[in-house]
Amino acid sequence: MRVAERDGGYRDSNGGRANTKGPSVSSFPTLSIDDFKGAFSFDDFFQNIVTDVLPPADESKPFDGSQSFGNGSSVDSGGKGNDFLVGQPFAEAGVLLPLCRDARSELVELCYKVDSRLENLKDEVSNYDSKHEQKFAELENGVAALFESFSRLDSRISGVGQTAARIGDHLQNADAQRKAASQTIDLIKYLMEFNGSLGDLMELSSLFTDDARVAEAAAVAQKLRLIAEEGIGIYGGYSGQQKSGTNVTPGLEVAVSNLQDYCNELENRLLIRFDNAAQKWELSTMAECAKILSQFNRGSSAMQRYVASRPMFLDAEIMNLDARTVKGEFGPGGVPNVTKGLQSLYKEIAETVRKEAATVSAVFPSPDAVMAILVQRVMEQRVDNVVANILPRLSLTNPRPMEDGGFQEYLRILAGSYEKTQELAKELHAIGCGDLDVEGLAESLFSSHREDYVEIEQASLTQLFQHRVAELKSGIGLDAAYPTTAPRLNSRNGMASANTTISVTVVGEFVQWNEEAIARCTLLTPQAATLATNVRAIFLCLLDQVSQYTTEGLERAMDALNEAAQQRNLYSIGSTVSRRVAAAAATAAEAAAAAGERAVRGFMVAVQRATSNVALVQQHFVNSVARLLLPVDGAHASCCEEMATAMALSEASALKGLQICIDTIMAEVDRLLAAEQKAIDYKPTDDGNAPDHRPTNACTKVTSYLEHMLEAAYGALEGLNKQAFMTELGNRLYKGLLGHWQRFTFSASGGLRLKRDVSEYAEFVRSFKAPAVDEKFELLGTLVNVFIVAPDSLPTLVDSSLKQARAEAMRFIELREDYRSAKIASRLTALVH
């Protein structure tokens, strides 16, 4: 390999100096701009420059463990390098440097050539742009001139078109004027014929006498009338009487009169022809006559004549048949079903009108106007006659008896007929009746019946309520109202006791009547504000009925409680009586207790049903009433307040009765304690037997009785009512037990027995779920400890655990068996002071 040196020489592949001053590279490959076109590769460019200077590397020589490097050093096969360098580090650099300089010179020269060429191209493009802009400006001038020519041409065409249109308009106007003049001449001629002698129609043109030209004659006659009556501005008909001469065009008075007579005569001829064609059912002839008659007062005479000739308006038997059809449908029990009868009749009327509509459409040029007259006649004659027949006027002072259905039957017929009539009106409107407000016409048929509707509705609800209450008092319908209650005689008024119990079924009937009434009110009162007022009045009837019925039922149930109390007081005896009398009194007291238990259970059932009835009313209010009150501000809140007020009386009766129930229960508790509690229970004899840790017999019977009685209370009461009742009963039980135990003397073992009773009572009252009662009985459990502890411990007990109940503790301590013997009073002197 030959390596160039710095001084221009180069070494051979063995490291020797081959030529110390070799010739410099003076010949360099000529570069061309084309060499840089396309994909230029610097590696190929460099290889092309140095390919003649640097020898190719011998890559086929295998590696033999000793390699010479370009820097002149060598490494033997043992891996050790020589300590000196042979020759210069890169001998070929001297050769490559001139090449690179020549390449740079060539490249710079090429850059100059490219810049020169670019300048030339730039000048050429600039010249081309100048020529292009000049040519473009010339084209714009030419286009502007062309557009100007087009504009002048368009203006010229437009002007020619307008001229042609004006000419055409003039020609049309001239032709129209010619025709108008010709017609005017004819009209003047005809007018002169009619302006002859008054009443003389014999010398008229054939136009007015030829039956084949009736349509043309009618049109001409109408034009002549307009001309003759122009002075007074009458359009569409002449009254038939001569007007003041000051308002009629002078000289045409005779023409006006003759034309009126002719038009009347012509109209009558056409009506006769129309009637004859109608009898033969010649629709084409009828249509022709109707078309001509439409020129006379818009054809109203033909329309009225056709409608009036319909059989349903002429035959009186049809009217009688309508009434028989309505009352011919029967419901359960043979009672006429007026609503069903109306539906059948209205279906027949709608079919008849539908058939007439087909004929009217084929005959008359304005069928809507004819149908409006026909439908109005149907509503005002046939429908109004039926409504008046089935809805006679009622008087609130002379009510309809319940045997005939009462007010409710009348209201049902009113609602049914109103609904079916509205359905008929909608169907007739769908068939077609022009601009006639047929639904408003149907409304007007019931206007007189709706004036006092709300008062009749309230009277109906009152009548139903009074009738149902009378049935209950007489024992009618008790099986349905009280299916599980067997009747028995009430000792006070002889009525069946079953009717003293409140029934959810009966109140359900009240609610059902009210729902039906509100549904009717919604149907018959379309205005939202009026509807809210009427619904409120109807709902107030239900509130009054339920409040009265519930309150009376609670009061009757309360009477049973009072009777039981009177029975208890009747058999109260003193202590100084014989054993026989005492036994009889005890038996009577047990009977009175049984009566009291039945009365309490009966009142609890009444309260439960009263609560259910209130829930029924509230649910009815939410479902059917509340949404109807919203359109009127304050109506909903006012109605809620009235509902609360109406139920307040029943609630007061319920609370009063519950208090009597507590009195009754506590009276029996006092009786059981007095009868079953023995002095030996709390002061047992010392017989050597083990202490009895069971509750006393009195405690067991009292808790058993209370548990038995509270089953009814748990089922009847809920929420705050239940909590208040249980709290009051617990407080009364606490006070009753304190009073009861004040009658006994307690030993230490008796105190343990008492503590066992107190634990039993405390465990029982936990089922009341009344925290205040639980606290009292917990304190009572601590209080009875005064009978158990030693006398020396009493001051500590009273001053610590019983500090809040010191008065009760002092009274209980006095009941200790050893109160005097142990001189406990002196021990507690410091506590008292």
Side-chain angles (χ1 to χ4, degrees), residues 24 37 153 195 291 317 320 477 486 504 620 726 796 813 824:
S24 63
K37 293 181 179 180
L153 179 60
N195 202 30
K291 184 178 180 180
E317 182 60 26
N320 298 328
V504 179
H620 167 61
M726 302 308 294
T796 304
I813 290 173
I824 294 176

Side-chain angles (χ1 to χ4, degrees), residues 334-579:
V335 179
N337 191 334
V338 175
T339 302
K340 189 175 180 180
L342 272 178
Q343 185 175 1
S344 300
L345 174 63
Y346 287 168
K347 183 178 180 180
E348 181 268 327
I349 290 177
E351 285 297 322
T352 302
V353 172
R354 188 175 284 106
K355 293 178 181 178
E356 292 292 345
T359 303
V360 167
S361 298
V363 170
F364 291 93
S366 301
D368 286 346
V370 182
M371 290 304 299
I373 298 173
L374 178 66
V375 170
Q376 184 174 0
R377 186 79 175 268
V378 167
M379 297 299 295
E380 292 178 349
Q381 186 168 331
R382 293 192 67 180
V383 176
D384 185 54
N385 181 68
V386 171
V387 171
N389 193 296
I390 64 176
L391 285 174
R393 295 289 297 173
L394 287 184
S395 173
L396 293 174
T397 58
N398 187 19
R400 187 175 182 177
M402 286 298 297
E403 292 76 12
D404 297 335
F407 286 121
Q408 186 183 45
E409 184 64 22
Y410 166 80
L411 290 170
R412 286 175 175 174
I413 295 175
L414 173 62
S417 58
Y418 177 83
E419 183 179 12
K420 296 304 177 184
T421 303
Q422 284 294 334
E423 291 177 0
L424 173 65
K426 292 178 181 179
E427 188 171 0
L428 294 179
H429 181 76
I431 293 173
C433 55
D435 296 332
L436 178 67
D437 184 10
V438 62
E439 295 182 14
L441 188 59
E443 290 274 350
S444 65
L445 297 180
F446 295 87
S447 58
S448 61
H449 298 280
R450 293 194 297 175
E451 290 177 355
D452 53 357
Y453 157 70
V454 177
E455 290 77 9
I456 295 177
E457 193 73 76
Q458 291 174 306
S460 173
L461 293 173
T462 302
Q463 185 183 48
L464 290 170
F465 174 73
Q466 293 174 349
H467 180 72
R468 189 69 177 104
V469 169
E471 286 183 344
L472 294 175
K473 288 182 178 180
S474 62
I476 301 176
L478 290 178
D479 293 340
Y482 312 100
T484 61
T485 306
R488 68 178 179 85
L489 288 180
N490 185 289
S491 60
R492 187 177 63 165
N493 53 20
M495 292 170 53
S497 65
N499 62 14
T500 64
T501 306
I502 297 174
S503 170
V504 179
T505 305
V506 171
V507 174
E509 293 179 12
F510 300 164
V511 173
Q512 185 177 2
W513 298 336
N514 207 262
E515 287 177 347
E516 180 181 343
I518 288 177
R520 274 195 299 269
C521 185
T522 305
L523 176 67
L524 297 171
T525 314
Q527 299 84 8
T530 307
L531 176 61
T533 303
N534 293 346
V535 166
R536 177 178 173 275
I538 293 172
F539 181 68
L540 289 182
C541 290
L542 175 64
L543 293 181
D544 293 340
Q545 293 171 1
V546 175
S547 177
Q548 179 181 343
Y549 174 76
T550 304
T551 302
E552 291 179 356
L554 290 172
E555 289 177 350
R556 288 193 298 269
M558 225 187 309
D559 290 342
L561 290 170
N562 294 328
E563 290 178 6
Q566 293 175 5
Q567 191 174 354
R568 283 196 311 272
N569 297 332
L570 182 64
Y571 295 105
S572 298
I573 60 174
S575 58
T576 58
V577 293
S578 65
R579 183 177 298 178

Side-chain angles (χ1 to χ4, degrees), residues 222 225-226 229 232 234-240 243 260 295-297:
Q222 290 299 318
R225 288 180 63 186
L226 291 176
E229 297 171 351
I232 56 175
I234 300 177
Y235 300 100
Y238 186 70
S239 64
K243 303 298 178 180
Q260 181 65 48
Q295 301 181 53
F296 299 94
N297 199 18

Side-chain angles (χ1 to χ4, degrees), residues 175-190:
D175 184 64
Q177 291 174 1
R178 182 188 62 78
K179 291 181 179 179
S182 176
Q183 293 176 358
T184 301
I185 293 172
D186 293 337
L187 290 175
I188 293 173
K189 183 183 68 173
Y190 296 143

